[in-house]
Amino acid sequence: MAKWLKEGAEPSAVAAIDKRVRETVEATLADIEARGNAAIRELSVKFDGWDRDDYRLSQKEIDACMAQMSKQDLADIAFAQTQVRGFAEVQKAALRDVEVETLPGVILGHRNIPVQNAGCYVPGGKYPMLASAHMSVLTAKVAGVPRVITCAPPYKGQPAAAIVAAQHMAGADEIYALGGIQAIGAMALGTETIDPVDMLVGPGNSFVAEAKRQLYGRVGIDLFAGPTETMVIADETVDAEICATDLLGQAEHGPDSPAILLTTSERLARETLLEIERLLEILPTAGHARKSWETYGQVIVAGDHDEALEIANQIASEHVQIMTDRDDWYLANMVNYGALFLGPRTNVAFGDKAIGTNHTLPTKRAGRYTGGLWVGKFIKTHTYQKVQTDEASAMVGRYCSRLCMLEGFQGHAEQANVRVRRYGQQNVPYAEGAAPMAGADLVEG
């Protein structure tokens, strides 16, 4: 039986916070839709202290941001983008158009077509998260999206130079210094100066994630990617220092980032609790990490690995780091998660920043029904059909006619019947089912 040595916030408290976020986002999006640029400007001034006539960065401003970066900075960004691009290209190669003759004269197929306009959000309020530019803009470009626009909030009163450099190097067509709900609303709804997109992608805080959720249907979204979540599954093959470091490394994202230790060792659990307290005394970002850990952190001791697996699949955390004596067993049996990080030599930060897999991943248990952002999210699979012979049209038509009549769709049946008459030279009374033909679709008895 699992034992909780530390529990997170009560579900009722979380629900109350979610309700306030929902209401705020709903009112804000309505204001943006009604007043366009005027609302965008007011919100930017209110939340970011950032006032401009036009929030799109000029080429001169982009060049200025690039000039602020050292050669080493640019080389590091290029390294990360090379890894992300390479893996995205491999993923795209796994997608292929298909065409098959399923019956004589009947051709079915599908084409993979990129979304035509994508809006990519890059978080940057607390930290300039330039890696999100690689994950969204670059992946969209690999998918073949013709127009990719991107928004990131200003950082310390200016466009975040590192983010802008990454957005530009990733191939963004338009770069805006906008953050929060106002950025999401501007991209999805459009304004007097910003053409709307067809799809929104990218992670963000609870307000950004909720704005995407509310706009889904008017535009597509990648997934529900809210405040980051991490789970470390560990046994006594690792020590408390590495577990505590990996938990706090994600808790520092912000005050609402759950971090969970799930272990089969109570000794490791208790040592990790102590180590977290030690590290919080020296971690420069402890202000964010401590609040997140104290409010949302959990430590769970499972009776064995089977129970740990069951709990992990139930929680469906965004990031699941596994450091055990059976990492590949978890790989084979985990079904609900955003991404797995297997073994102590890797970690979530590798995936977040440099290794090549995408870091925009499902949160709030969405890993039960979707994976993370990848090149395929930007690609729509559209089917088509062709019937190339009179015989095939008449044969399928007879089946279709009778099936339509079973459903009471007489108009549908006539779409089939007119082809049975024309291409099969078979008389079918109007708005009735086509009679089966002997030697073809007639079933005796």
Side-chain angles (χ1 to χ4, degrees):
M1 177 71 70
K3 177 165 61 174
W4 269 252
L5 300 188
K6 183 184 184 307
E7 297 189 59
E10 288 292 327
S12 59
V14 175
I17 294 169
D18 289 346
K19 181 175 184 292
R20 289 196 296 271
V21 170
R22 257 193 326 272
E23 291 170 350
T24 299
V25 169
E26 185 175 13
T28 304
L29 290 176
D31 188 33
I32 292 170
E33 185 166 25
R35 298 194 301 121
N37 281 341
I40 296 298
R41 189 169 186 174
E42 287 178 17
L43 291 162
S44 182
V45 171
K46 178 180 178 180
F47 292 107
D48 293 321
W50 181 239
D51 188 17
R52 289 168 60 110
D53 292 329
D54 185 355
Y55 287 91
R56 181 174 177 178
L57 298 187
S58 67
Q59 187 60 52
K60 182 178 179 180
E61 290 174 305
I62 295 169
D63 292 342
C65 289
M66 294 289 291
Q68 292 180 46
M69 309 302 292
S70 70
K71 289 183 178 179
Q72 185 65 59
D73 292 334
L74 295 175
D76 291 345
I77 293 171
F79 171 84
Q81 292 195 349
T82 297
Q83 310 320 304
V84 174
R85 181 183 294 105
F87 190 57
E89 288 172 345
V90 169
Q91 290 181 307
K92 186 181 180 184
L95 298 171
R96 62 187 184 93
D97 294 349
V98 300
E99 185 172 282
V100 60
E101 188 171 20
T102 57
L103 294 165
V106 175
I107 306 297
L108 306 182
H110 76 225
R111 293 182 59 220
N112 293 302
I113 302 172
V115 169
Q116 297 299 289
N117 298 275
C120 302
Y121 187 73
V122 179
K126 296 185 184 72
Y127 309 101
M129 291 180 58
L130 61 106
S132 289
H134 325 325
M135 306 298 173
S136 57
V137 176
L138 193 153
T139 305
K141 282 301 181 183
V142 170
V145 179
R147 174 177 174 251
V148 179
I149 76 172
T150 178
C151 289
Y155 185 67
K156 297 182 178 179
Q158 296 293 330
I163 290 180
V164 174
Q167 290 168 321
H168 178 64
M169 292 168 67
D173 298 295
E174 302 166 27
I175 299 175
Y176 295 85
L178 270 178
I181 306 171
Q182 59 269 29
I184 299 299
M187 289 192 289
L189 302 172
T191 72
E192 300 91 322
T193 55
I194 302 175
D195 290 333
V197 299
D198 303 314
M199 183 177 187
L200 290 170
V201 305
N205 63 22
S206 56
F207 292 92
V208 167
E210 176 62 19
K212 287 171 60 182
R213 189 192 70 80
Q214 290 190 19
L215 288 162
Y216 177 62
R218 297 187 64 159
V219 294
I221 65 170
D222 48 356
L223 53 127
F224 194 94
T228 196
E229 305 164 351
T230 198
M231 171 182 283
V232 172
I233 302 177
D235 59 19
E236 291 193 348
T237 60
V238 291
D239 58 37
E241 180 190 25
I242 200 165
C243 292
T245 298
D246 290 338
L247 289 165
L248 293 180
Q250 294 302 300
E252 76 173 353
H253 269 279
D256 50 0
S257 296
I260 301 171
L261 174 64
L262 175 57
T263 178
T264 54
S265 167
E266 184 167 344
R267 181 185 66 82
L268 178 63
R270 296 191 180 280
E271 289 177 356
T272 300
L273 281 168
L274 293 173
E275 183 67 8
I276 284 173
E277 291 306 314
R278 185 186 74 83
L279 291 177
L280 283 171
E281 294 300 319
I282 60 175
L283 180 66
T285 54
H288 296 308
R290 182 181 292 279
K291 185 173 182 181
S292 177
W293 175 249
E294 290 178 349
T295 306
Y296 293 96
Q298 297 184 54
V299 176
I300 308 168
V301 180
D304 54 28
H305 284 286
D306 287 326
E307 186 175 40
L309 175 70
E310 181 180 354
I311 293 168
N313 277 325
Q314 176 65 24
I315 292 173
S317 183
E318 177 190 16
H319 305 104
V320 180
Q321 184 163 346
I322 299 173
M323 298 182 288
T324 68
D325 63 3
R326 60 196 74 191
D327 299 344
D328 287 340
W329 178 82
Y330 278 96
L331 174 62
N333 290 283
M334 284 285 294
V335 293
N336 298 330
Y337 57 90
L340 295 181
F341 304 82
L342 299 164
R345 293 180 180 83
T346 191
N347 62 87
V348 176
F350 281 12
D352 278 350
K353 311 302 178 189
I355 209 166
T357 53
N358 205 292
H359 80 189
T360 304
L361 300 167
T363 63
K364 297 278 190 179
R365 303 187 67 232
R368 294 171 298 135
Y369 56 82
T370 186
L373 181 60
W374 70 295
V375 70
K377 291 278 188 179
F378 294 101
I379 293 175
K380 308 169 295 168
T381 301
H382 296 277
T383 60
Y384 62 88
Q385 58 173 269
K386 295 185 284 187
V387 178
Q388 297 183 312
T389 67
D390 292 352
E391 293 81 6
S393 183
M395 183 268 292
V396 174
R398 289 192 297 272
Y399 280 106
C400 180
S401 171
R402 296 191 296 272
L403 290 167
C404 291
M405 293 302 295
L406 282 175
E407 295 180 346
F409 277 121
Q410 294 168 313
H412 282 62
E414 271 306 303
Q415 289 181 266
N417 290 344
V418 71
R419 286 159 176 83
V420 174
R421 297 184 194 108
R422 292 190 179 193
Y423 300 117
Q425 289 78 51
Q426 182 178 346
N427 184 33
V428 182
Y430 189 80
E432 294 184 15
M437 290 188 62
D441 48 314
L442 176 65
V443 176
E444 302 288 349

